Amino acid sequence: MIQSVLVANRGEIARRVFRTCRELGIATVAVHSDADAEAPHVREADAAVPLPGSAPGDTYLRGDLVVRAALAAGADAVHPGYGFLSENAGFARAVQDAGLVWIGPPPAAIEAMASKTAAKKLLAGTGVPLPPSLEPDRVREADLPVLVKAAAGGGGRGMRVVRDRAALDGELAAARAEAAAAFGDGDVFVEPYLERGRHVEVQVLADGHGTVWALGTRDCSLQRRHQKVVEEAPAPGLDDALRATLEEAAVAVARTVDYTGAGTVEFLVSDRGEPSFLEMNTRLQVEHPVTEAVFGLDLVAQQIRIAEGAALPAEGPPAAHGHAVEARLYAEDPARDWAPQTGRLWRLAIPGTGAGHLRVDSGVEDGDLIGIHYDPMLAKVVAWAPTREAAVRKLARALEQAAVHGPVTNRDLLVRSLRHPDFTDVAAGRLDTGFYARHLAELTAPGPADAPDGAGHAVLAAALAEAVRDAPGRPRLAARVGGWRNLPSAPASRRYFDGDGTEHEVRYVWGRGGVAPEPAAHPGVRAVAVRADHVVLEADGVRRGFDVAVHGDRVFAGRHAFTAQPRLAEPAADTAPGSLLAQLPGTVVRVAEGIAEGAEVAAGQPLLWLEAMKMEHRVLAPADGTVTELRVAVGRQVEVGAVLAVVTPPAAATP
C-alpha cells in the first residue's frame, strides 16, 4: 500500500495527481524550482522540497535531485506526471533502485517506445499499421510534402514540414539542433506528410496480470506548432471498423512491450480512413480528462492501484457514455505567431465550474505571475454532455463568459474554433491537422467593433467605469446642487489601445444623472447604470452588462482587454533604425550559421532563435542589409523590447 507520493512535476498535473491522492488518503510531496516557490502545487502538498534554480535543466529535469527529495521527505512512491522526466527510462530505474514505487510503466517499455524509429522497427510484423519511411537523401519532388521529425521526445519539438526540396537539408539541420537541445538526442527521420490527416489516439490501461484495456479513442487534430489545442472523446466520425482497428492495434502495441499502467497510442488517419502508427506516449496524457469524463474513471487512481499490484476487472472497462471536449487555454497570442505571453494573471474565473459537467484543471491561481520558464498553459477546460453538439456548445459558452484578466490568451481563438463549421460539421470531412493552417487568419481577425458586445461598446463601458472610479464624489455633488451649470459640460475623453493595436477614443459628459456617453461620438448608445466595476449600456433597445476590472493601465471590460493611454505621452526610447527587438522574453538558443557583425542578410532570413515556454521562435531579418550590431549570444536571457541585432539597409536604399 502506497502511503506517500512525490510528484516529479509542477503546475496543473501536480495538482491533478494531488487531488486523487487526497481522495485515496495518500500523503503528497511536491518539488519546486525557485520560480515555483509560491506556486499552488507547492501550497497544496503536505510537504515540499526545493530544487535550487529556475531553469528546467537545473531543477525538474534533475532526476538525482528528485529521487533525493523523495527519500528526504519520506515518500514511498513517485508519480512522474507528463513532460520533464515522465518518459525517461533512466529516471524510472533510479526511482526503483532507490527502493521507491514507480507509478508508471516498466523502464524497458519506456525505452522500447522512446525512439519513434526504433519503435516502428519493433512493431514490424505485429499487424500494427506503420507509415512508410523515407531516406532523407532520396527524397524527390514527387515525395513532397514531407515531415521531418525528432526520433525522441514530443510536444512538436524537432518537427518541420518541408514543401521545397531545396529547403530539406536546412530543415534537417534545424530539426536536429532543436531535438538535441530539447531531448539530448539529435536523431531525426523523414516520412510523408498528410495535409488532411486526423490525429487520433487510443487510451490504454494495463495491469501486471496480463489484462489490457482500450479506453476508446480521442481526436486531437486541432493543433498549433504540432501541439494539441482541442481534444475530444470519442473521436467523431469514425466507423465501427476503423475504431476497432485502432483499438486492436493499440492493445497490440501495449502487449508487444509488456506495458503496465496508463499510456496512449497515437495514429494518423488519412482522409481515406487509412490509419498509421505515430508513437506511443508511455505516460498520462494532457488530454486524459476527456476519457475520464466519458468512461467515469479516475485514471490517476487506476495508475496508483496498478502500481500497488491490483488487477483490472477481467470483464473489461465500463461502458462509455456521452461526449467530452477539452480546450487548452494558453497565455499566447495566436495572431502573432503564437508568441507566449508573460505577466500577472489577476483573475481566472470560468462560470459553471464544478456543476453541469464542466471541469477546469489549472496550475495557476489569481495573482500568479506567468513567467518564461515553463509551458504557457493556464488551464484545461473540459465539458461533458450526452452528445457532441451539446458538449461543444457548452464549452464554447463557458470560455466566452470566462473572466481572463492578465496576459493575452488564445481564449477568443478557442471560442471561434469550437463554433467553426469545419469543426462542428464532422460529416463534411474537414476536421484535420491543417485546420489552423487554413483558418488562422479568419479566426484571429478583429470582430466588428460596433457589435453589441464588440470592442466599441466594451471600451465605452471601460471609460465610463474609470470615470466614476476617478471621480467618486461627482455624481453625489451633482445631485446635491441640482446639476445646474452656467455652461454645458464640456466632453471629456479617454484613449485606449486594444490587443490588435487599434486606438479607441471615448468621449463622455457629466450631467444631472451622472456620467454618460457623448451623443455625437456614440450615437444611439445610452448608459443605463454605471459603477466602477459594472456598466449597463443600451443600444437599439437592447441592454447589455459589462463587468469592468482595472489593473494598472490594463482595463478589462467583458471579454475585451484594453491598455489605457496617458493623457500626456511619454517620450519614446531612442532606438537605432533597423533594430530587431525581442517580441517576447526568452533565452537565445541558437544563432544562425554565418551570422555575425558584418554579415549580409536578406529579408526574412532567420538570424537567431529564442526559446520561451518550451517553444522556439525564429527572429527574422526585417529587410535586406548588413548586420551592423549583434547584441546577443547563445544562452543569454532577454526581456521584451531588448535589442537583439541591428540590420542596416544598403546605402543606396537609405533615405
Side-chain angles (χ1 to χ4, degrees):
M1 294 287 290
I2 293 172
Q3 303 298 329
S4 177
V5 170
L6 178 142
V7 176
N9 220 294
R10 63 176 300 279
E12 173 268 325
I13 185 57
R15 300 180 80 189
R16 164 70 189 90
V17 176
F18 289 163
R19 184 168 69 245
T20 290
C21 287
R22 286 193 297 271
E23 293 172 356
L24 297 178
I26 297 173
T28 56
V29 180
V31 289
H32 66 86
S33 66
D34 293 344
D36 277 341
E38 301 299 324
H41 81 276
V42 177
R43 298 195 296 268
E44 292 179 1
D46 296 311
V49 181
L51 304 175
S54 290
D58 299 329
T59 54
Y60 299 107
L61 290 172
R62 285 286 302 275
D64 57 334
L65 297 183
V66 174
V67 171
R68 193 182 307 164
L71 296 173
D76 53 11
V78 172
H79 191 297
Y82 53 71
F84 293 134
L85 295 168
S86 62
E87 294 180 280
N88 186 306
F91 176 61
R93 288 195 179 95
V95 168
Q96 294 177 335
D97 291 345
L100 302 168
V101 176
W102 169 250
I103 305 177
I110 299 174
E111 211 160 47
M113 293 289 105
S115 168
K116 299 176 184 67
T117 51
K120 290 172 183 176
K121 292 178 182 177
L122 179 66
L123 295 173
T126 63
V128 175
L130 301 174
S133 294
L134 299 171
E135 292 296 329
D137 57 352
R138 296 183 181 178
V139 173
R140 303 163 300 165
E141 290 290 339
D143 297 322
L144 299 175
V146 296
L147 183 65
V148 178
K149 295 182 68 174
R157 309 291 295 274
M159 294 180 69
R160 301 286 192 282
V161 177
V162 181
R163 304 179 187 281
D164 181 358
R165 180 62 184 83
L168 179 59
D169 290 342
E171 296 292 10
L172 283 167
R176 289 188 183 108
E178 185 177 2
F183 315 122
D185 182 350
D187 186 26
V188 300
F189 63 97
V190 178
E191 62 185 21
Y193 177 67
L194 290 181
E195 298 278 9
R196 304 299 294 266
R198 287 180 61 184
H199 190 128
V200 180
E201 60 192 30
V202 177
Q203 174 74 58
V204 295
L205 196 63
D207 62 21
H209 306 274
T211 299
V212 182
W213 284 358
L215 292 171
T217 58
R218 295 190 290 251
D219 188 288
C220 310
S221 297
L222 265 62
Q223 303 177 5
R224 54 95 165 106
R225 294 175 174 265
H226 307 292
Q227 292 180 318
K228 301 162 188 173
V229 176
V230 176
E231 304 104 341
E232 57 183 311
L238 304 184
D239 60 44
D240 291 342
L242 177 54
R243 198 180 302 276
T245 296
L246 295 173
E247 293 184 355
E248 290 168 5
V251 170
V253 173
R255 291 194 183 282
T256 298
V257 295
D258 295 325
Y259 198 84
T260 60
T264 298
V265 183
E266 303 195 346
F267 301 89
L268 194 64
V269 178
S270 73
D271 55 359
R272 297 183 299 276
E274 299 168 345
S276 59
F277 171 80
L278 282 176
E279 61 181 320
M280 183 180 194
N281 287 307
T282 53
R283 55 173 169 78
L284 200 65
Q285 291 279 84
V286 178
E287 58 272 22
H288 76 274
V290 294
T291 297
E292 292 184 323
V294 169
F295 281 89
L297 285 173
D298 182 331
L299 289 177
V300 174
Q302 295 295 331
Q303 286 183 296
I304 293 172
R305 292 187 180 107
I306 289 170
E308 292 178 326
L312 293 170
E315 61 270 20
H321 295 285
H323 201 94
V325 188
E326 172 182 292
R328 303 189 194 185
L329 183 66
Y330 284 107
E332 66 183 13
D333 190 345
R336 291 175 172 80
D337 196 26
W338 311 97
Q341 304 293 299
T342 59
R344 187 73 59 187
L345 179 67
W346 291 290
R347 188 178 184 213
L348 176 60
I350 298 172
T353 302
H357 300 290
L358 188 70
R359 166 177 166 179
V360 177
D361 288 3
S362 176
V364 295
E365 292 181 344
D366 293 359
D368 284 351
L369 184 66
I370 310 304
I372 67 171
H373 298 290
Y374 311 115
D375 187 274
M377 188 174 72
L378 301 179
K380 303 182 312 195
V381 187
V382 186
W384 178 93
T387 65
R388 181 179 191 263
E389 179 185 44
V392 170
R393 181 171 55 207
K394 180 185 297 184
L395 179 57
R397 183 58 177 160
L399 288 166
E400 185 176 47
Q401 291 184 301
V404 188
H405 300 168
V408 173
T409 72
N410 67 335
R411 185 262 299 275
D412 288 348
L413 174 89
L414 293 174
V415 174
R416 292 180 177 184
S417 299
L418 293 167
R419 292 172 174 168
H420 195 282
D422 279 10
F423 180 80
T424 58
D425 186 4
V426 178
R430 295 189 295 267
L431 176 61
D432 57 63
T433 56
F435 179 85
Y436 286 123
R438 297 192 302 273
H439 301 302
L440 185 60
E442 65 182 274
L443 292 170
T444 56
D450 57 353
D453 61 345
H457 288 181
V459 74
L460 173 58
L464 297 179
E466 284 208 281
V468 169
R469 184 200 64 182
D470 294 344
R474 190 161 185 169
R476 292 192 297 273
L477 177 62
R480 190 162 59 246
V481 301
W484 181 86
R485 289 179 58 89
N486 191 34
L487 296 171
S489 174
S493 66
R494 293 175 183 260
R495 293 186 307 117
Y496 301 86
F497 282 105
D498 63 22
D500 301 311
T502 303
E503 183 176 8
H504 300 268
E505 182 176 5
V506 178
R507 296 169 65 84
Y508 57 91
V509 295
W510 287 94
R512 180 174 300 178
V515 68
E518 200 272 318
H522 308 281
V525 182
R526 184 173 71 90
V528 177
V530 180
R531 298 198 314 263
D533 61 351
H534 189 75
V535 174
V536 179
L537 300 177
E538 182 179 284
D540 299 325
V542 178
R543 295 184 179 184
R544 293 184 185 272
F546 295 84
D547 289 327
V548 180
V550 179
H551 304 279
D553 64 349
R554 295 280 285 164
V555 184
F556 300 87
R559 60 184 177 84
H560 298 273
F562 306 96
T563 302
Q565 299 303 297
R567 296 181 184 274
L568 297 175
E570 297 180 2
D574 185 17
T575 304
S579 295
L580 281 175
L581 306 182
Q583 300 300 308
L584 66 159
T587 303
V588 179
V589 291
R590 280 189 290 149
V591 176
E593 184 177 355
I595 297 301
E597 292 186 1
E600 299 292 328
V601 297
Q605 177 180 341
L607 303 184
L608 53 95
W609 284 259
L610 288 178
E611 183 183 81
M613 298 179 173
K614 295 173 65 177
M615 291 193 293
E616 284 193 2
H617 304 267
R618 296 188 304 171
V619 177
L620 309 178
D624 296 345
T626 303
V627 179
T628 51
E629 291 185 49
L630 185 62
R631 299 191 184 182
V632 295
V634 173
R636 178 183 166 186
Q637 290 192 352
V638 298
E639 298 298 328
V640 173
V643 178
L644 306 175
V646 177
V647 177
T648 303
T654 304

